Amino acid sequence: MTRLGFLLDSDSCIGCHACTVACKSEHDVPLGVNRTWVKYIETGEFPNVSRHFSVMRCNHCDDAPCITICPTNALFRADNGVVDFDDGNCIGCKGCMNACPYDAIYINPATNTANKCNFCNHRIDQGLEPSCVVVCPTHAIKVADLDDPDDAATRIIARSDTAVRAPQQNTLPKVYYRGVDQASLDPLRTAIAGDGMIWADTTDRHPTVAPDSHGVVARTTYTTAHEMTWKAKVSSYLVTKAVAAGVMAVAALMVLLGHGGAQAAVGVVPPVVAGVFLAVTGILLVADLRQPRRFLYLITRANPRSWLVKGAAVLGAFAAVCAAWFVAGVVGSSGALAVLAAPAAVLAAATAGYTAFLFGQCEGRDLWQTPLLLPTLLAQASTAGGAAYAVAGLAMDGPDPVAVQWVLLAGVLGTAVLVVSEIMSRGTAHVEVAVAVMTRGRYARRFWAGGVGLGLVVPAVVVGAGLAADWGAGPAAVAGISAVVGMWFYEDCFVRAGQSVPLS
Ligand code: SF4
């Protein structure tokens, strides 16, 4: 067997960027994105300073999270161990970009598909070396067959003190660095200084820790920019599916409490609301694809290990149960609703909660790995379901408006406990940076005013007081709207802060 990796010799590298340019030329890589680049860092104080180079690229991980999350098998393992890709299969979901802990993948603006270093496998097939290896003037880049103990580069790796990037991610990277300054491989230990970089402008696409952060030991003087991939559409999708799941969960609860005969409030309105919000969820998901016309590849070229595929199946099954519920509601069959109540409740929970597993496959985003995400999503669905019923209560008589307000209050209080637990917990260094960005940095205002104020404090106070003083439907509806708007702000902070931690 052949199992290819790279040996990158930082002692030999002179930082000439010939590898970057050769790669761009070989693969027609557009401006603004890179398959490989040379990062510069500087250590020490003037006049005793040193500059260190490290070549960045895909690590062709033995346990590659990008392959696992790719919903359409566009990323795959080649026979020689290389992680290769097929542009023709890519739907541009960008999941791989959040799964990779190394910033190795970019969206090619010319094709709107995910690209990265593929070891020049078309050249390997013809017995040639990758273009970066050929062009390097100091032999700082070597191909290693890691399964061949007699391979020259493999023997250097075996006997030298080599390092890999982010070994704690357990992806088993196959790019080995010799003679590298460790700070070069840990993006939390270097920062772009206030006066910027050499060779490149600093932009807001250069995620970096603050120069005075704890643990920073050097300055980054050259690196590349990386796009934040999941933004408002993903934050919005989390809310729209929470509403769809929540309203059906409350309807199922009503049936189980013996209100199956309430035709409009239990049998008809909830599946209509869920159907509308599920449709918006689907539109947001498809619109977020860089290749939206290929969305059916989720079925025709499905990777069953990907939670993007499993999530699509959950949403489809939930939509089918909602449709059956609507038919049962229209014909007034409380018996059919009783049969559907348990599957509707289970699929509502799955619809709300599967994103915890999808985000869990995004191994580059430590904030999203929290075990609190699943209960938070379920609590948010309770909030959203209670909110939807509270708003609908302005126009129709529900069977149990007080129970609805308790569902809303339980969701809000449960979410509050989980959010406080999340920001108080001690996680990895990446989690702590992300929580700081969310609560004290760039997203602090929308977190505290939107997520906490509108999403938690206002609805808790209004519903709590309303239940105590019997305020009725109007204040409960206002509280519900506030809770859902605030939920969007919280989700947006969580989604963006998770991606704000530099990975390279
Ligand atoms: Fe390459 Fe990143 Fe995939 Fe590892 S996870 S194989 S570094 S793209």
Side-chain angles (χ1 to χ4, degrees), residues 58-61 64-66 83 100-102 104-105 116:
C58 170
N59 288 270
H60 299 282
C61 309
C66 59
V83 176
C100 172
Y102 308 102
I105 307 178
K116 66 175 196 63

Side-chain angles (χ1 to χ4, degrees), residues 158-321:
R159 71 168 184 255
S160 305
D161 190 12
T162 54
V164 295
R165 292 169 64 190
Q168 74 279 5
Q169 297 288 356
N170 297 319
T171 60
L172 307 178
K174 299 205 297 287
V175 172
Y176 296 86
Y177 293 83
R178 184 167 73 160
V180 73
D181 188 293
Q182 283 291 339
S184 211
L185 302 186
D186 183 349
L188 298 191
R189 296 184 66 201
T190 66
I192 297 172
D195 57 353
M197 299 186 289
I198 56 172
W199 316 130
D201 291 335
T202 309
T203 70
D204 60 5
R205 294 170 66 219
H206 286 92
T208 183
V209 291
D212 56 356
S213 289
H214 178 70
V216 169
V217 296
R219 54 182 274 162
T220 304
T221 47
Y222 179 74
T223 192
T224 55
H226 297 274
E227 189 184 359
M228 181 180 287
T229 55
W230 286 352
K231 293 186 271 196
K233 293 191 195 84
V234 172
S235 319
S236 304
Y237 130 92
L238 287 166
V239 175
T240 55
K241 78 182 175 63
V243 173
V247 75
M248 286 303 293
V250 176
L253 180 69
M254 294 286 184
V255 170
L256 297 173
L257 290 175
H259 298 302
Q263 189 176 23
V266 175
V268 178
V269 172
V272 170
V273 172
V276 169
F277 278 85
L278 269 182
V280 177
T281 300
I283 290 167
L284 287 167
L285 285 175
V286 173
D288 199 47
L289 302 179
R290 291 295 178 92
Q291 286 282 359
R293 292 184 187 167
R294 296 182 177 176
F295 77 94
L296 282 177
Y297 288 8
L298 282 167
I299 299 168
T300 57
R301 304 183 187 189
N303 166 17
R305 287 194 300 160
S306 168
W307 270 98
L308 281 152
V309 169
K310 293 180 202 181
V314 166
L315 291 175
F318 183 54
V321 167

